[in-house]
Amino acid sequence: APVALLGGGAALRYYRNLQSDTHKDFDERVDQLVKTYRNSLDDLTAKERQRLKQYGNQVLLPVFNRLEITASRYREQMAALERHLREIDRLRTEIKNAVDK
């Protein structure tokens, strides 16, 4: 019986060490997996950020430049139209005054 008790104690110690090592190994693997996942996500985010920046430079920047040019042209046309409307009002007033005399 004492031999069985000693053998049982040794088996229990072996089991606990094995369990501890297994938990430690599992935790290390999970930590490595999390680290790999985060690095992959960071790399993917950096690549996507770069892709969007290139898209902005290649596609959006020319579009916005074109829109700015168009808006400037329309502002100039609006100013010219307002000048013409003022001239029409002035001429209308002159004609009306000439007819009323």
Side-chain angles (χ1 to χ4, degrees):
V3 174
L5 189 59
L6 285 176
L12 184 60
R13 178 182 286 179
Y14 174 76
Y15 173 74
R16 285 183 181 162
N17 286 341
L18 183 63
Q19 186 181 22
S20 174
D21 290 345
T22 303
H23 281 285
K24 192 168 153 186
D25 183 52
F26 179 76
D27 288 344
E28 287 173 359
R29 287 182 184 201
V30 168
D31 289 344
Q32 184 62 36
L33 183 63
V34 167
K35 182 180 176 185
T36 302
Y37 175 76
R38 285 186 178 153
N39 288 341
S40 297
L41 192 58
D42 287 344
D43 290 345
L44 184 62
T45 302
K47 287 178 185 177
E48 184 65 12
R49 184 178 296 126
Q50 183 62 28
R51 187 188 71 77
L52 289 173
K53 185 176 178 182
Q54 285 177 334
Y55 176 77
N57 288 336
Q58 292 174 351
V59 176
L60 296 179
L61 191 60
V63 168
F64 284 124
N65 286 340
R66 186 61 132 162
L67 286 173
E68 185 60 38
I69 290 168
T70 303
S72 175
R73 192 174 302 147
Y74 285 145
R75 281 191 294 270
E76 291 170 6
Q77 289 175 356
M78 184 65 157
L81 181 61
E82 288 172 350
R83 283 192 305 273
H84 292 316
L85 289 173
R86 284 193 301 270
E87 183 66 17
I88 288 170
D89 284 343
R90 186 186 65 76
L91 291 172
R92 183 178 287 138
T93 303
E94 283 183 19
I95 291 171
K96 186 177 180 184
N97 288 340
V99 170
D100 288 344
K101 284 186 179 181

